[in-house]
Amino acid sequence: NLKERLDAAVQSAREAGRGSGYPERLISRVSVALDPDGPVRYKGLNLHPQGFSYALAEAVALRKDLQPYAEMIQQQTVMYWLTEQVDLKVDTGASVSMFDSCRGFMRQHNMGYGIERCLYLLNPEIPCMSDRLRKYYVRTPEDMLYAFELVAKLPDRPALFVDRHVAAFLSVKDRKVVDLYSADLNSMDAGRRAMGNLKVLATIQKRSKLEAFPGISKWIAEAVEPVYGRFHDRELRDKMHKRMEHLAEAGDLMQIALMFDDFETLQNDFEGFKLALEEYYRLRGEAAQLERQIETPELYSRAPGREAAAILSGILSGIIILGFAFLYFFSKS
């Protein structure tokens, strides 16, 4: 039996390739084959699968290296230990499902995934571990807004609200308040990121029917400065700045989000910008034509001169004809 387990462990380690991480993976799986009742061993870590989540939480809290934990998930080290148990007294179905989900999260590098998402999935009872909220015990999305209201009063507050931990925490607690805005949160555009942060907080406030947050609103008023660049009309931007001052005092995050994300306003602004572009290119064409006329006047002066001469000669001919007609009629009379 031992020989069969050992051969299976070696074969399992080789299936993922012999590149980076192969020696550690091989040692870990051979240790399971030799000591199936022992803990999972990997790069100096020795832990039971049911203690993996707590060990990961401790590593995050104490700012330890998280790479070994990430590799254990990616290489299915814990999953292998679970599948090799023949007389385990606990139900492993839930653990297998969660670690399998974590492996999928590790394949994605966007905000809201990665090792942070695994942390909150495996530890549903722990608070948000973001550096922006370390002074507060945030257990729910509602707690997060109250904490940010306090952070808003600090002189060294960050530029935005949502980081990798905040996004992962909210994804596990209530996916509807953050997953819809994942593209904005992960955008390279500063305006889109600011709008993504605003929409996340506004959705929490609206869904939970929370009171006003003037501190967060004033914080957002500074954070959304790049958003005004989405609008081309200078007068519209000035009006939005003035309205923002009133909304910031009111503390209604959803109204602020709706002001920037109103489809009719965006469409009218774009149509006006389109007309202005057309007028601009028309004037540019006229200016270019005038410049050509100035550079080569002999080519463009002939036609206007002929037209002027024709008009002048027509006027003189008419005067002469009228003169002869008057003389003729007066002589008859």
Side-chain angles (χ1 to χ4, degrees):
N1 291 336
L2 175 59
K3 179 66 165 60
E4 290 178 0
R5 290 200 306 269
L6 185 60
D7 291 341
V10 173
Q11 180 61 31
S12 175
R14 290 176 177 173
E15 287 176 357
R18 299 193 184 188
S20 177
Y22 170 71
E24 292 83 3
R25 184 170 61 252
L26 176 63
I27 292 172
S28 177
R29 301 198 176 190
V30 167
S31 71
V32 173
L34 297 176
D35 184 18
D37 296 327
V40 179
R41 300 174 176 90
Y42 187 82
K43 284 189 174 181
L45 297 176
N46 301 281
L47 48 89
H48 191 277
Q50 289 183 316
F52 180 90
S53 59
Y54 302 110
L56 175 60
E58 181 194 42
V60 173
L62 299 180
R63 302 177 183 271
K64 294 181 180 180
D65 183 17
L66 302 181
Q67 188 60 31
Y69 298 92
E71 292 176 3
M72 290 177 72
I73 294 173
Q74 292 171 323
Q75 298 182 12
Q76 297 182 293
T77 304
V78 177
M79 293 274 284
Y80 181 80
W81 186 95
L82 291 171
T83 57
E84 289 298 304
Q85 303 307 303
V86 294
D87 191 26
L88 201 59
K89 298 297 189 296
V90 295
D91 181 19
T92 61
S95 297
V96 170
S97 177
M98 283 196 297
F99 277 102
D100 192 46
S101 298
C102 287
R103 189 167 180 244
F105 297 149
M106 292 299 299
R107 296 194 187 101
Q108 303 185 52
H109 302 288
N110 286 342
M111 189 182 297
Y113 294 92
I115 194 66
E116 296 86 3
R117 182 73 168 267
C118 300
L119 170 68
Y120 298 110
L121 178 66
L122 298 174
N123 296 279
E125 73 283 2
I126 69 169
C128 182
M129 305 294 287
S130 169
D131 287 338
R132 303 174 184 185
L133 298 168
R134 276 188 175 268
K135 295 181 180 179
Y136 308 93
Y137 198 80
V138 174
R139 299 178 302 163
T140 65
E142 294 77 18
D143 288 347
M144 183 173 290
L145 257 65
Y146 289 113
F148 277 135
E149 182 70 9
L150 297 174
V151 175
K153 302 175 183 178
L154 302 177
D156 57 343
R157 66 190 183 193
L160 292 174
F161 305 83
V162 181
D163 60 7
R164 295 189 66 86
H165 272 281
V166 170
F169 176 83
L170 292 175
S171 292
V172 173
K173 296 297 182 181
D174 189 353
R175 295 179 60 185
K176 293 181 180 179
V177 303
V178 67
D179 284 9
L180 292 175
Y181 316 117
S182 178
D184 291 332
L185 294 173
N186 290 282
S187 173
M188 298 297 293
D189 181 72
R192 286 191 64 184
R193 286 199 307 274
M195 281 301 299
N197 278 255
L198 170 58
K199 290 176 182 178
V200 168
L201 301 186
T203 303
I204 297 173
Q205 184 187 36
K206 182 179 179 180
R207 283 169 59 85
S208 301
K209 299 180 180 179
L210 302 178
E211 65 269 22
F213 292 98
I216 293 178
S217 298
K218 294 175 183 178
W219 185 354
I220 284 177
E222 299 177 7
V224 296
E225 278 298 323
V227 181
Y228 292 102
R230 299 170 59 186
F231 301 92
H232 307 89
D233 190 335
R234 185 180 303 171
E235 294 182 359
L236 176 61
R237 292 199 298 267
D238 292 339
K239 291 179 181 178
M240 295 179 75
H241 270 104
K242 293 179 180 178
R243 189 183 176 197
M244 184 67 186
E245 294 177 2
H246 297 290
L247 293 175
E249 292 294 336
D252 191 335
L253 305 180
M254 184 55 68
Q255 288 299 319
I256 297 175
L258 291 175
M259 179 183 72
F260 289 109
D261 213 28
D262 182 64
F263 176 75
E264 185 176 354
T265 302
L266 288 168
Q267 186 179 37
N268 292 338
D269 179 72
F270 177 76
E271 291 296 332
F273 179 64
K274 184 179 178 182
L275 292 175
L277 278 179
E278 293 174 355
E279 178 69 11
Y280 172 76
Y281 283 115
R282 185 182 67 78
L283 294 174
R284 283 291 301 273
E286 292 181 3
Q289 183 178 2
L290 290 174
E291 289 177 358
R292 289 194 297 269
Q293 291 178 2
I294 293 172
E295 292 175 358
T296 54
E298 65 278 0
L299 298 179
Y300 295 94
S301 60
R302 293 173 184 172
R306 290 170 183 172
E307 292 178 1
I311 293 172
L312 183 61
S313 61
I315 293 173
L316 292 174
S317 299
I319 292 172
I320 293 171
I321 293 171
L322 288 174
F324 278 110
F326 276 118
L327 291 175
Y328 177 76
F329 284 116
F330 280 120
S331 62
K332 287 288 183 181
S333 61

